[in-house]
């Protein structure tokens, strides 16, 4: 799947998923509104009957109001009655009519006394089967309304939960939909991961082909020259081509060793020859061995050994390779005169070794991936810097094999700084 097809596929997938979510939300909202409307109709009908029964109980000759029940909020109703209200009778009537209307929901009610202009009585009624309250005190603050008549108010504290409980089937279908969507998103992630791995694999193959093709071609051409009979008459040419073959064979061996070394890195970590190593001594030896390399490029290696305790448990060979790889990286990825600074310091029980260069730097988007196996910062078809993308992977794995960690700070055009944090020997 090429990049353009993949982008179209992802865009359509996201659009489809978004549409499904919007439609599901719309359907759920519609279903909730229908349940709310049905609940409102049942409550209104039940409370209207309660109002009528109260008037009949009081033998009040006044006719019932045309619209005694009013929905003040989504879960609060008021019911006007042209007479005084007995709280015990009212509660019993409400319970009977709610049961008749299949409204088995806890509620609070308050009775308004128009002669005193206040709510004179309020109570909580535990009506559902799973009621978890034992007291009958109403928690709801019944608001003062501009109603100049006797009325009572009914409040449903658990109405939203009650309505959502009636939508269990919608929750099940939504859960199934979410699982399907999660699986689809996971599949997209796998596709992207496979695409990225494929790109890394292709880059590795291209780099390896380039790294091996050049020396093989050089060896092949040199061998053809050496096979000509007249070459024995020019011993200096024979020696020159033999030196070329030896140099390119050594280059091939180095590349093969690099690949094999990284392929067996897990086994190497298990077999680390740990001993007490003075990092300062190691860095001093490394400075001497790297001196010809810096002279060749007119570079400078600055070492500042500031740590008071530089003794760690390490495999001398591999820890030397770690620092050498970071120095080599700083030299390779530098477009000016290379200057590399190595500093040491202690922080708590750790030794921090900092290797800072003045190279081209690493972009933010690549910094999390530079330690991945075979990853190289993409430079198109230009192969001016040799390598397989294994150096920093080796460094990270080996540092962690020494119970340490590596940190990277870098900015394009300003170089990179690698910090090795390794526990010291107490």
């Amino acid at each position: 799947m090429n990049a353009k097809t993949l982008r179209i596929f992802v865009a359509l997938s996201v659009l489809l998923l978004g549409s499904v979510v919007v439609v599901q939300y719309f359907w759920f909202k519609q279903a909730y509104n229908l349940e709310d409307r049905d609940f409102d109709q049942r409550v209104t009908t039940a409370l209207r009957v309660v109002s009528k029964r109260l008037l009949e109980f009081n033998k009040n000759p006044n006719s019932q109001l045309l619209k005694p029940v009013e929905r003040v909020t989504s879960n609060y109703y008021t019911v006007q009655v042209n007479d005084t209200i007995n709280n015990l009778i009212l509660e019993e009537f409400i319970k009977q009519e709610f049961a008749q209307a299949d409204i088995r929901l806890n509620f609070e009610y308050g009775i308004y006394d128009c002669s005193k202009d206040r709510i004179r009585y309020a109570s909580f009624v535990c009506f559902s089967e799973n009621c978890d309250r034992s007291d009958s005190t109403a928690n709801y603050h019944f608001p003062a309304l501009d109603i100049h008549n006797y009325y009572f108010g009914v409040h449903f504290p658990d109405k939203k939960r009650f309505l959502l409980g009636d939508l269990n089937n919608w929750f099940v279908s939504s859960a199934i939909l979410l699982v399907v969507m999660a699986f689809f998103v996971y599949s997209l992630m796998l596709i992207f991961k496979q695409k990225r791995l494929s790109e890394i694999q292709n880059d590795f193959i291209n780099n390896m082909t380039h790294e091996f093709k050049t020396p093989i071609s050089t060896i092949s051409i040199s061998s053809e020259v050496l096979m000509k009979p007249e070459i024995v008459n020019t011993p200096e040419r024979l020696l020159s081509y033999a030196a070329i073959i030896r140099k390119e064979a050594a280059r091939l061996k180095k590349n093969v060793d690099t690949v094999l070394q990284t392929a067996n890195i897990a086994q190497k970590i298990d077999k680390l020859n740990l001993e007490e190593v003075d990092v300062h001594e190691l860095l001093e030896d490394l400075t001497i061995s790297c001196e010809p390399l810096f002279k060749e490029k007119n570079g400078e290696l600055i070492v500042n050994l500031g740590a008071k305790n530089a003794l760690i448990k390490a495999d001398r060979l591999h820890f030397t390779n770690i620092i050498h790889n970071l120095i080599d990286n700083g030299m390779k990825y530098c477009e000016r005169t290379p200057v590399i600074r190595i500093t040491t310091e202690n922080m708590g029980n750790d030794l921090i070794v900092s290797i800072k260069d003045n190279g081209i730097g690493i972009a933010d988007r690549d910094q999390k991936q530079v330690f991945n196996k075979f990853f190289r910062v993409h430079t198109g078809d230009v192969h001016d810097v040799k390598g397989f993308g294994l150096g920093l992977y080796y460094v990270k794995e080996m540092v962690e094999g020494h119970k340490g960690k590596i940190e990277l700070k870098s900015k394009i055009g300003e170089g990179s700084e690698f910090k090795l944090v390794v526990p010291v020997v107490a």
Side-chain angles (χ1 to χ4, degrees):
M1 185 182 293
N2 59 44
K4 183 178 180 181
T5 304
L6 183 61
R7 284 196 296 269
I8 294 174
F9 175 74
V10 171
L12 291 176
S13 300
V14 171
L15 183 63
L16 177 62
L17 288 177
S19 301
V20 170
V21 171
V22 170
V23 170
Q24 184 72 8
Y25 172 76
F26 177 76
W27 284 352
F28 182 82
K29 189 175 180 180
Q30 287 291 98
Y32 183 86
N33 290 337
L34 287 173
E35 288 289 333
D36 183 60
R37 196 177 307 159
D38 177 67
F39 179 84
D40 179 58
Q41 289 175 352
R42 287 187 288 153
V43 170
T44 301
T45 302
L47 292 178
R48 189 178 290 118
V49 174
V50 170
S51 175
K52 182 179 179 181
R53 291 182 63 182
L54 282 173
L55 289 175
E56 292 175 354
F57 178 82
N58 290 338
K59 298 180 181 180
N60 191 322
N62 296 327
S63 60
Q64 190 179 16
L65 295 171
L66 293 176
K67 191 178 179 183
V69 182
E70 183 180 356
R71 180 177 175 176
V72 180
T73 64
S74 63
N75 59 348
Y76 179 56
Y77 296 80
T78 60
V79 185
Q80 297 187 50
V81 181
N82 291 325
D83 207 339
T84 57
I85 304 171
N86 183 290
N87 61 288
L88 296 177
I89 299 300
L90 173 62
E91 183 176 321
E92 188 61 30
F93 284 171
I94 293 176
K95 290 169 68 174
Q96 290 176 7
E97 295 305 321
F98 278 4
Q100 183 70 25
D102 196 26
I103 306 171
R104 301 193 176 277
L105 184 62
N106 302 331
F107 63 89
E108 297 172 314
Y109 71 92
I111 300 174
Y112 174 78
D113 189 342
C114 65
S115 63
K116 297 181 180 179
D117 193 24
R118 64 181 177 85
I119 297 290
R120 66 172 179 83
Y121 183 85
S123 180
F124 170 80
V125 179
C126 197
F127 198 57
S128 65
E129 296 178 356
N130 57 347
C131 180
D132 56 359
R133 279 182 59 178
S134 57
D135 65 293
S136 60
T137 306
N139 294 329
Y140 182 66
H141 177 71
F142 291 90
L145 302 174
D146 189 20
I147 300 177
H148 303 289
N149 194 2
Y150 290 97
Y151 74 87
F152 65 90
V154 179
H155 175 250
F156 298 97
D158 305 320
K159 178 192 170 183
K160 185 174 290 187
R161 186 167 55 185
F162 174 77
L163 294 182
L164 292 175
D166 289 340
L167 296 173
N168 285 335
N169 292 335
W170 282 96
F171 282 117
V172 172
S173 64
S174 298
I176 294 174
L177 179 63
L178 286 175
V179 171
V180 173
M181 291 175 63
F183 179 76
F184 189 74
V185 171
Y186 177 70
S187 300
L188 284 178
M189 292 173 62
L190 284 181
I191 291 174
F192 278 111
K193 184 177 180 180
Q194 290 300 323
K195 183 176 181 295
R196 185 175 63 83
L197 290 175
S198 177
E199 290 174 350
I200 292 174
Q201 182 184 32
N202 290 335
D203 287 343
F204 172 70
I205 292 173
N206 291 335
N207 291 331
M208 187 172 66
T209 301
H210 180 80
E211 293 290 338
F212 282 94
K213 188 176 181 179
T214 302
I216 290 174
S217 299
T218 305
I219 290 173
S220 178
I221 294 172
S222 300
S223 300
E224 289 178 3
V225 174
L226 291 178
M227 290 177 66
K228 295 179 180 180
E230 61 270 19
I231 193 70
V232 295
N233 299 324
T234 52
E236 65 280 358
R237 286 187 64 198
L238 190 149
L239 183 62
S240 174
Y241 281 106
I244 291 173
I245 291 175
R246 181 178 181 181
K247 178 182 177 182
E248 295 301 325
R251 180 178 169 187
L252 276 175
K253 182 179 182 301
K254 181 182 177 182
N255 288 337
V256 171
D257 288 343
T258 300
V259 175
L260 292 178
Q261 181 188 48
T262 311
N264 300 321
I265 193 169
Q267 297 178 5
K268 292 182 180 295
I269 290 175
D270 292 336
K271 297 179 181 179
L272 286 176
N273 181 27
L274 298 178
E275 58 180 324
E276 289 190 0
V277 175
D278 188 329
V279 175
H280 285 177
E281 291 181 3
L282 186 148
L283 290 174
E284 288 172 355
D285 294 341
L286 196 61
T287 302
I288 295 172
S289 64
C290 288
E291 188 175 352
L293 180 64
F294 280 89
K295 280 186 177 180
E296 182 183 342
K297 295 192 174 184
N298 296 320
E300 186 178 7
L301 177 62
I302 303 170
V303 180
N304 181 14
L305 307 177
K308 294 182 179 179
N309 183 1
L311 201 62
I312 66 172
K313 280 276 188 181
D315 184 302
R316 183 179 293 273
L317 173 63
H318 286 291
F319 202 82
T320 301
N321 288 341
I322 289 171
I323 299 176
H324 191 276
N325 277 2
L326 294 175
I327 293 175
D328 188 52
N329 238 41
M331 298 280 284
K332 287 196 300 184
Y333 295 96
C334 187
E335 297 177 341
R336 46 191 166 180
T337 302
V339 177
I340 295 178
R341 292 178 170 82
I342 301 179
T343 60
T344 65
E345 62 176 325
N346 290 117
M347 184 173 292
N349 296 322
D350 295 325
L351 171 68
I352 299 177
V353 181
S354 170
I355 299 94
K356 187 174 183 180
D357 60 60
N358 64 335
I360 60 176
I362 303 171
D364 292 340
R365 65 176 182 276
D366 295 325
Q367 289 184 24
K368 292 183 178 180
Q369 302 184 66
V370 291
F371 296 108
N372 292 343
K373 197 174 185 179
F374 304 132
F375 179 83
R376 296 185 72 204
V377 177
H378 187 66
T379 56
D381 297 326
V382 180
H383 295 275
D384 52 342
V385 178
K386 312 300 181 184
F388 301 120
L390 297 172
L392 291 180
Y393 169 74
Y394 168 83
V395 167
K396 179 177 181 293
E397 293 296 315
M398 276 299 168
V399 170
E400 292 178 353
H402 284 79
K403 310 300 180 185
K405 62 180 180 179
I406 184 168
E407 300 173 356
L408 168 63
K409 287 174 61 179
S410 184
K411 194 172 182 180
I412 292 294
E414 297 183 11
S416 304
E417 181 180 10
F418 294 88
K419 285 188 178 181
L420 310 179
V421 183
V422 188
V424 296
V425 176

